[in-house]
Amino acid sequence: MVLRPQLRRLPPLARRDAQIQERRREIRRLERRLEARQRQVDRLRAAPPPPPPYPPRKPSWHVRVMEQQRVQRAIGTDPGYADHPRHNLFLKLHNYEVARSHGVSTPQVLGVWPSPAEIDWAALPEEFVLKSNGGSTSRGVLPLRRTATGFEMLDGTRHFTADEIVEHYATARRVRAPFFAETLLPGSHEQLPDDIKIYTYYGEVAFALLRRMPVHGDTSRSRVRFLGADGTDLGELRHNRAPDDSVAAPRHYALMTGIASVLSLAVPLPFLRVDLYDTPGGVVLGELTPLPGDSDTFLPQWDRRLGQLYDRAEARLQLDLARGRPFRVLHGPHDRSPQRPMPATTVVPDLPAGLPRR
């Protein structure tokens, strides 16, 4: 009996005993984890399964947008991609031409260049906005004023030399040539103009997102408000985007919704977001967006409501196509050139020619 403890001190036996103890501790840990998992399984079996966030049998705005993004990628692999009406809607200069053809004002384009390195800086005024023709982020847009050493953002947050602007576009994600400069909107000296994003479903306005950007490109500091087509306050529509009543409704809001409705009918797609600016003299186009990237941010009741609007819009569009509507963007009778000066729009344009009578 006295000998056994001494034998267990021998290195081989001591290692064996240590390994046995470690295995026993590991078994106890695994047993506790197994018990915890079993309790979790029991709870899940007792509770009803949570519904999917976007039930496939229910109308869903997010499902529709994701579907169309897949379709867009598939279309992009076809040699005839340029014939699809959505193709050019991702290009700002094309959208300016569409809007102007219907008598909707856009900023005047001061110059267009194949690359930032070819921009004629000396030909530009003291203040202007520089843009890439393609791109879905604000990094492609630079509202600038001249300084003694180069340029600065209108909000004063950043300074550039001409070479630094070229480098900015070389490293910016999702920007596409050509690059162009345009006139500054009235009122931009006091603050960046509010961006009025109108969600329109083949002629039917659902709501407008009013977005105020204290700092250009910094959406984390933006303030938003949501208005219905008739101007009523809609409260909260999106997750973690509490509305801010200090963002005033646009002076020309009824005009804006009328313009958005007409432009959306000119495009043979169920949905078009029409971004507009309210100026003292009237309304100016910002851009047209066929596939916004925020579809998963809406509250469930609004995801379903916008999904219903999309379904109805697609039904109306398909009926119009069956009645002879051309499957292309319908231009209006006005001059399309974005290089000429154009006053802000003050009247709702006529409906596009080429729409079948209902």
Side-chain angles (χ1 to χ4, degrees):
M1 298 296 293
V2 177
L3 184 60
R4 180 174 295 179
Q6 295 175 348
L7 290 174
R8 288 190 170 178
R9 293 194 190 99
L10 293 174
L13 295 178
R15 284 195 298 273
R16 183 206 64 182
D17 290 347
Q19 290 173 352
I20 291 172
Q21 291 299 321
E22 178 58 30
R23 296 294 187 274
R24 288 173 177 168
R25 286 193 292 270
E26 181 65 19
I27 289 171
R28 288 194 292 271
R29 284 196 295 269
L30 291 173
E31 287 175 341
R32 289 194 294 271
R33 289 179 60 184
L34 180 60
E35 291 172 358
R37 292 295 175 87
Q38 186 59 52
R39 289 193 296 270
Q40 185 179 18
V41 168
D42 293 341
R43 286 196 300 270
L44 291 174
R45 285 176 174 170
Y54 305 105
R57 294 187 179 183
K58 302 289 186 179
S60 170
W61 166 233
H62 179 60
V63 168
R64 282 297 205 164
V65 173
M66 293 296 99
E67 173 190 70
Q68 288 306 306
Q69 287 182 356
R70 293 196 311 273
V71 171
Q72 184 69 20
R73 288 193 292 269
I75 292 172
T77 64
D78 191 283
Y81 170 50
D83 297 330
H84 195 280
R86 189 188 283 133
H87 169 62
N88 288 325
L89 287 175
F90 296 101
L91 304 177
K92 296 180 179 67
L93 291 174
H94 169 269
N95 293 340
Y96 281 11
E97 291 182 3
V98 173
R100 283 185 170 232
S101 78
H102 290 283
V104 177
S105 175
T106 74
Q108 180 187 359
V109 173
L110 305 171
V112 183
W113 303 274
S115 72
E118 299 173 76
I119 294 174
D120 184 1
W121 301 107
L124 295 174
E126 293 299 303
E127 297 176 328
F128 57 92
V129 181
L130 196 61
K131 293 184 176 181
S132 62
N133 193 32
S136 58
T137 67
S138 59
R139 288 183 60 81
V141 180
L142 297 177
L144 299 169
R145 69 163 59 94
R146 290 185 185 273
T147 67
T149 58
F151 305 92
E152 70 174 358
M153 298 283 281
L154 284 183
D155 57 16
T157 57
R158 190 171 177 185
H159 298 259
F160 299 92
T161 64
D163 288 341
E164 286 171 340
I165 292 176
V166 173
E167 177 64 21
H168 168 82
Y169 280 116
T171 59
R173 295 175 58 246
R174 292 185 292 182
V175 298
R176 293 170 57 188
F179 298 84
F180 63 97
E182 67 184 30
T183 52
L184 198 65
L185 291 176
S188 299
H189 301 84
E190 292 76 27
Q191 66 178 28
L192 295 173
D194 291 345
D195 197 3
I196 314 302
K197 301 178 180 293
I198 303 179
Y199 285 63
T200 312
Y201 295 80
Y202 196 57
E204 183 176 359
V205 173
F207 71 92
L209 163 62
L210 283 53
R211 188 175 73 173
R212 179 165 297 171
M213 298 283 290
V215 177
H216 174 73
D218 187 356
T219 55
S220 66
R221 298 174 61 179
S222 65
R223 304 201 302 273
V224 301
R225 187 179 174 193
F226 303 95
L227 297 183
D230 60 356
T232 56
D233 201 306
L234 298 178
E236 186 175 2
L237 270 66
R238 292 163 57 179
H239 297 285
N240 302 318
R241 296 296 288 176
D244 187 335
D245 293 342
S246 69
V247 181
R251 180 189 314 176
H252 301 101
Y253 186 69
L255 174 60
M256 289 177 140
T257 57
I259 289 171
S261 176
V262 170
L263 291 180
S264 75
L265 286 170
V267 176
L269 297 171
F271 170 80
L272 188 70
R273 196 187 75 196
V274 182
D275 296 0
L276 299 169
Y277 293 106
D278 193 20
T279 73
V283 176
V284 179
L285 181 81
E287 63 180 2
L288 305 176
T289 303
L291 289 175
D294 59 359
S295 61
D296 61 341
T297 64
F298 287 87
L299 299 174
Q301 62 270 31
W302 274 96
D303 176 72
R304 183 172 299 183
R305 180 173 176 180
L306 298 180
Q308 291 172 335
L309 290 175
Y310 192 106
D311 290 352
R312 292 204 299 265
E314 184 171 22
R316 294 195 304 275
L317 172 60
Q318 289 187 10
L319 288 171
D320 278 358
L321 292 171
R323 293 167 182 152
R325 186 209 197 282
F327 189 57
R328 58 177 173 79
V329 174
L330 300 176
H331 288 85
H334 302 278
D335 182 4
R336 304 181 191 181
S337 172
Q339 275 82 20
R340 66 176 179 83
M342 184 177 183
T345 302
T346 57
V347 296
V348 176
D350 294 332
L351 291 176
L355 293 176
R357 293 185 177 180
R358 297 186 183 280

